Amino acid sequence: MTNTQPKVVSGLQLWQWRHQAIQAAIATDVPVAEVDWLLQEIAGLDRLALRLESYKNWPQIQLKLALEDLEQLWQRRLHDRLPVQYIAGASPWRNFKIAVSSAVLIPRPETECLIDLAVTAANHSEAIPPLQQGNWADLGTGSGAIALGLANAFPESTIHAVDYSSEALAIAAANAQNLGFADRIRFYQGSWWEPLSFLKGQFSGIVSNPPYIPTSTLPTLQPEVILHEPHLALDGGADGLDCIRHLIEISPSYLRPGGVWLIEMMAGQADRVREILQNHDSYSNIEIHSDLAGIERFALAYVNAEC
Ligand code: GLN
């Protein structure tokens, strides 16, 4: 997008904008803290300068967006419920700043736990060679968050990240490049395991945050989610479990004996997911883990040796 608007403002101009934005946030029930977070991202201000308002006297502040565009997008935040992360074009996740656009789901804090669970599972495994090495898959990678987390946690592994959306893959690949993991993560367009058939039986683990919201529940989600985030990343079919069932069914032929199967799911799905895993016969040591809110959110299992 070519933009001829000036991107330099005076401290006073930005101070005025911030005050109006805060008032408008209060009036429309948008968390006020989003204004300062956005200004940290767009204007490079730190929290102290914002709190003390020391920037008010600065002659010039460089913005990433013209003030008019920022104002227009902020109006969309207030009135169209556009998520603030899509305005900033970034979201914090674990130790990364991950670039996002509306082509990808904004990575959620609870999803961060998947990486710690993968690390614990690999540390507890006695598989030889160790699970920390070799190939890991992030299926439905979106922004690439899980793939980046795995690459960081398992420095001796190669991560294979798959998404159906080419637009999402472009964002994920840019994130891998910018965060220094381009040589450790490979990207593939396609459906779940399909592009990885050349590595059947060779994966140490699969980690996924698949779409798991039941189709009929979608309209009840927050407007920020349902109006702006990609439905491909949310809609899990009639009972929300279509993709999880597929991943349970197909993964054993892709994983090494003892390999880790790990996914995120929705509140209320744990019993059913455990049951489907148990009925499959290929999995053992099935574990359900809660997120920090105490919601049973993650299912983990190991593929049996005889598979
Ligand atoms: N956790 C997301 C939400 O709150 C859903 C992500 C998913 O379906 N995988 O909307």
Side-chain angles (χ1 to χ4, degrees), residues 105 108 110 209-213 221 225 233-234 264 297:
L105 198 76
R108 308 290 202 260
E110 58 270 27
N209 174 18
Y212 51 61
I213 315 273
L221 298 178
V225 179
L234 296 167
E264 180 177 316
R297 172 74 67 195

Side-chain angles (χ1 to χ4, degrees), residues 86-122:
Y86 289 151
I87 301 179
S91 178
W93 193 82
R94 290 183 72 87
N95 49 326
F96 304 120
K97 187 198 276 192
I98 303 223
V100 295
S101 78
S102 56
V104 300
L105 198 76
I106 297 160
R108 308 290 202 260
E110 58 270 27
T111 306
E112 296 183 359
C113 298
L114 278 174
I115 306 304
D116 302 309
L117 289 168
V119 168
T120 307

Side-chain angles (χ1 to χ4, degrees), residues 70-90:
L70 177 62
E71 171 57 17
Q72 216 170 53
L73 288 165
W74 185 248
Q75 290 302 318
R76 292 196 58 206
R77 171 71 195 100
L78 304 175
H79 302 294
D80 301 343
R81 307 317 267 192
L82 179 69
V84 70
Q85 295 93 330
Y86 289 151
I87 301 179

Side-chain angles (χ1 to χ4, degrees), residues 81 220 227:
R81 307 317 267 192
T220 70
L227 295 178

Side-chain angles (χ1 to χ4, degrees), residues 288-305:
I288 302 294
H289 293 271
S290 298
D291 63 19
L292 295 176
I295 295 168
E296 291 185 322
R297 172 74 67 195
F298 312 104
L300 190 153
Y302 299 83
V303 163
N304 293 333

Side-chain angles (χ1 to χ4, degrees), residues 86-166:
Y86 289 151
I87 301 179
S91 178
W93 193 82
R94 290 183 72 87
N95 49 326
F96 304 120
K97 187 198 276 192
I98 303 223
V100 295
S101 78
S102 56
V104 300
L105 198 76
I106 297 160
R108 308 290 202 260
E110 58 270 27
T111 306
E112 296 183 359
C113 298
L114 278 174
I115 306 304
D116 302 309
L117 289 168
V119 168
T120 307
N123 288 346
H124 286 169
S125 156
E126 285 168 6
I128 298 171
L131 294 183
Q132 288 89 344
Q133 300 175 3
N135 301 301
W136 283 76
D138 169 13
L139 305 185
T141 192
S143 64
I146 293 172
L148 290 159
L150 290 172
N152 193 43
F154 298 137
E156 294 177 65
S157 68
T158 300
I159 316 300
H160 303 266
V162 178
D163 208 283
Y164 196 72
S165 156
S166 317

Side-chain angles (χ1 to χ4, degrees), residues 213-222 226 237-238 266:
I213 315 273
T215 308
S216 60
T217 304
L218 288 175
T220 70
L221 298 178
Q222 286 174 288
I226 195 60
M266 194 171 85

Side-chain angles (χ1 to χ4, degrees), residues 196-212:
L196 302 176
S197 56
F198 68 104
L199 286 172
K200 265 194 175 179
Q202 296 180 48
F203 282 86
S204 297
I206 175 231
V207 183
S208 180
N209 174 18
Y212 51 61

